[in-house]
Amino acid sequence: MGDISVHLVDRGRVHADTGYVLDGYSMGSASNPNPDHEMSEFVVWNAVVDGPDRTVLWDTGSNPAAGDGYWPEPLYEAFSHVDAAEHTLEGDLGAVGYDLADIDAVVMSHLHLDHAGGLAAFEGTDVPIYVHEEELKFAYYSAKTTEGSIAYLASDFDRDLNWHVVHGDEHTLFDGFRLIHLPGHTPGVLGAHIETPAGDVLVAGDECYVEGNYADEVPLGPGLLWSERDWFESLQTVKELERRTGGDVLFGHDLDRFSSFGDGWNV
């Protein structure tokens, strides 16, 4: 197995009520019927996984026009990507030493609008876009009907893209880089186990938005949870991987956790 490095790419900040990501965080009680709500700052990130033969981009972030009417107003009111306009995919890749032309493949953890907003950069190219079968189905179901989730925008992913569909529970992208199906947040969330000389990396992604989802096993809020039962089972999958490998667990939007890993895992 050749050396693999993982470079983290900062794609900006989202402001949202903490109750969206930690179920019951600000619930009222008899003694405190009207508790204060807490707004938190969350990170949007991508990663570049540099392997011996391929350079892979993990997710594509938000569309820079998210705050200018591209995202539906009710959704942006709840999850405001306040600096999306300052974070183009090409510019943020450049900040960590990469160009769009360096990307040989893209892995989509899922197709929500804060992850799929940069897919247009790969339209009409032969760059493979890896996505789980269940995610692609649910994304189109949601975006093209009045059912499903409002967090999918057809304009993000209904394009001339070179889809490579992942089936089942696991898929080895290359030696040392394994994709893992983690349904719960959505039907088709993909996580990963990446082996680097600097240590193993376990990408939980939006299976766990923040530390509290992982350490305390507090589910995501109902608006962010497709299936609580599947979410809990996926959580145990990630925890078992951590027990076996001692790897670093990378959450979906936890700013402190993201910052603690610096530039990523590269030696």
Side-chain angles (χ1 to χ4, degrees):
M1 179 179 70
D3 286 351
I4 300 172
S5 62
V6 180
H7 303 260
L8 294 176
V9 185
D10 192 333
R11 303 302 313 282
R13 303 291 177 267
V14 167
H15 294 170
D17 192 308
T18 308
Y20 281 119
V21 304
L22 292 170
D23 189 24
Y25 185 81
S26 52
M27 295 287 287
S29 64
S31 60
N32 185 16
N34 298 298
D36 292 333
H37 286 260
E38 179 182 307
M39 295 294 288
S40 293
E41 187 171 57
F42 303 98
V43 66
V44 176
W45 60 268
N46 298 154
V48 178
V49 182
D50 231 339
D53 303 310
R54 278 197 286 178
T55 299
V56 179
L57 176 65
W58 186 275
D59 282 340
T60 66
S62 302
N63 188 295
D68 297 323
Y70 183 80
W71 284 13
E73 184 178 358
L75 198 146
Y76 192 83
E77 278 290 304
F79 298 91
S80 299
H81 193 156
V82 294
D83 56 356
E86 303 168 24
H87 287 275
T88 65
L89 179 57
E90 187 171 15
D92 288 348
L93 283 174
V96 296
Y98 289 89
D99 188 85
L100 282 171
D102 296 324
I103 303 303
D104 300 310
V106 179
V107 173
M108 294 305 305
S109 68
H110 59 302
L111 293 171
H112 277 176
L113 71 183
D114 55 330
H115 296 259
L119 278 172
F122 303 98
E123 186 169 23
T125 73
D126 61 358
V127 174
I129 312 294
Y130 290 88
V131 66
H132 197 277
E133 170 191 9
E134 297 301 329
E135 186 65 17
L136 196 58
K137 290 176 180 177
F138 191 66
Y140 272 96
Y141 172 69
S142 297
K144 296 292 191 176
T145 76
T146 57
E147 306 294 329
S149 166
I150 65 168
Y152 295 98
L153 297 182
S155 52
D156 281 339
F157 57 82
D158 189 16
R159 296 175 174 274
D160 178 18
L161 296 167
N162 183 19
W163 294 113
H164 281 225
V165 178
V166 175
H167 303 277
D169 294 333
E170 295 187 4
H171 178 88
T172 299
L173 205 57
F174 53 78
D175 195 17
F177 188 178
R178 181 166 58 100
L179 303 178
I180 304 165
H181 185 209
L182 298 173
H185 173 54
T186 76
V189 168
L190 286 173
H193 177 197
I194 307 170
E195 300 171 61
T196 84
D200 286 19
V201 182
L202 307 177
V203 182
D206 283 13
E207 162 65 19
C208 298
Y209 259 56
V210 294
E211 173 79 26
N213 302 130
Y214 189 76
D216 302 326
E217 300 192 352
V218 178
L220 301 167
L224 294 178
L225 204 55
W226 168 74
S227 166
E228 184 169 346
R229 177 178 178 179
D230 286 286
W231 174 85
F232 183 77
E233 291 179 357
S234 293
L235 179 64
Q236 304 315 309
T237 296
V238 179
K239 288 195 164 190
E240 176 60 22
L241 270 174
E242 185 190 22
R243 283 191 288 269
R244 282 176 21 213
T245 67
D248 292 323
V249 183
L250 181 56
F251 304 139
H253 294 279
D254 191 309
L255 179 56
D256 289 340
R257 186 76 157 192
F258 174 83
S259 300
S260 74
F261 294 133
D263 295 333
W265 297 261
N266 41 85
V267 293

